[in-house]
Amino acid sequence: MINSLIALYSWTNGVVMIVIFALVCITLVGILINFMSKGKSTEESNKLNEDNNTEY
């Protein structure tokens, strides 16, 4: 009786949704790290600000 009830439940849908959610989270974290690593360093930002502040 118990074995027949357990066999009626399918784990496929839940597992697929968890895998998709995990892939989306990993992708978003990867994009965030990519944006952070391509950001301007403080030295470059200061140099650009000095160039823009020159008076003509």
Side-chain angles (χ1 to χ4, degrees), residues 17-38:
M17 292 179 73
I18 290 171
V19 168
I20 291 172
F21 181 71
L23 289 174
V24 169
C25 289
I26 291 170
T27 303
L28 290 175
V29 168
I31 290 171
L32 180 64
I33 291 172
N34 190 17
F35 281 145
M36 288 172 49
S37 67
K38 287 187 177 182

Side-chain angles (χ1 to χ4, degrees), residues 38-55:
K38 287 187 177 182
K40 296 179 185 175
S41 67
T42 55
E43 293 177 9
E44 292 176 4
S45 297
N46 290 339
K47 184 178 178 183
L48 290 175
N49 289 337
E50 290 173 1
D51 291 342
N52 292 337
N53 290 336
T54 57
E55 296 179 15

Side-chain angles (χ1 to χ4, degrees), residues 9-19:
Y9 187 77
S10 174
W11 291 81
T12 307
N13 191 26
V15 171
V16 170
M17 292 179 73
I18 290 171
V19 168

